[in-house]
Amino acid sequence: MKFRIWTTLFLVTSAQFGWAQTSGNAKLVNAEATAPEPSANSYTVLGATPQQEALIRAQIRIMQPDVYPLRVLFVPHWKYVDTARTFRLHVPAGYSSAMFTHLPSRSVFIDSDRYVSDDSLGYWVAHELGHLATNSVSESDADKAAREYRRRLKDARKTDLH
């Protein structure tokens, strides 16, 4: 009985190694055949309605930020609070937070329950993109960088009205 078990194990094991063998003329993968790097302005929008996703993409396209996020996540309030706590988000006294940026992952988290209007979304996303552009957690640095992004949004609205 032991001999049969050992023989079966040997055959099963040797069959696995045999499957991995290839013919001698297998082509090597060259650097040109590998998957291309994602472009600097490609990002993922998760948890948004189709209208929210279209709006955020249009606003970011208009702002033309120096650094794009890798992902923009619309999350319910409970998940937003939990994520902010996990990342140890510091909100200055007297301020509230409807969105924040996690710099190491280049992720922008938006509290979908506190999403007020299209204009406020663009205003605050500009601020979050300012954090990415300056690679800083400083609110004043982010606001300085956001000024240009907000100006571009404002100019685009003026153009659309005329």
Side-chain angles (χ1 to χ4, degrees):
M1 185 69 168
K2 283 186 178 182
F3 179 73
R4 285 185 182 172
I5 292 173
W6 284 109
T7 305
T8 304
L9 282 173
F10 174 76
L11 291 175
V12 169
T13 305
S14 62
Q16 287 178 344
F17 286 116
W19 290 335
Q21 293 182 5
T22 61
S23 64
N25 61 2
K27 294 181 181 178
L28 296 175
V29 176
N30 64 23
E32 296 169 9
T34 59
E37 289 292 316
S39 67
N41 61 359
S42 68
Y43 54 92
T44 304
V45 178
L46 301 168
T49 65
Q51 295 83 8
Q52 288 171 328
E53 181 174 354
L55 176 64
I56 195 88
R57 287 186 181 281
Q59 289 176 335
I60 291 174
R61 186 179 62 252
I62 291 167
M63 288 187 261
Q64 301 172 9
D66 298 330
V67 177
Y68 284 79
L70 289 178
R71 62 196 64 77
V72 177
L73 300 103
F74 285 76
V75 294
H77 183 68
W78 70 269
K79 182 67 174 168
Y80 179 86
V81 170
D82 185 54
T83 305
R85 183 182 50 76
T86 301
F87 289 139
R88 294 187 173 104
L89 176 66
H90 171 71
V91 179
Y95 286 87
S96 65
S97 172
M99 58 183 73
F100 73 92
T101 298
H102 182 246
L103 289 174
S105 67
R106 288 179 34 207
S107 299
V108 176
F109 291 85
I110 300 173
D111 185 340
S112 59
D113 294 343
R114 298 182 72 196
Y115 169 74
V116 180
S117 70
D118 296 351
D119 291 339
S120 69
L121 181 66
Y123 183 86
W124 290 111
V125 166
H127 175 85
E128 299 308 320
L129 294 175
H131 281 296
L132 290 172
T134 61
N135 196 30
S136 172
V137 296
S138 167
E139 300 301 323
S140 62
D141 290 348
D143 273 336
K144 286 177 189 173
R147 286 183 192 135
E148 178 62 21
Y149 302 148
R150 290 173 179 151
R151 185 193 59 75
R152 291 175 187 166
L153 279 174
K154 186 177 177 181
D155 291 348
R157 275 190 229 111
K158 285 181 185 177
T159 304
D160 288 343
L161 293 176
H162 293 135

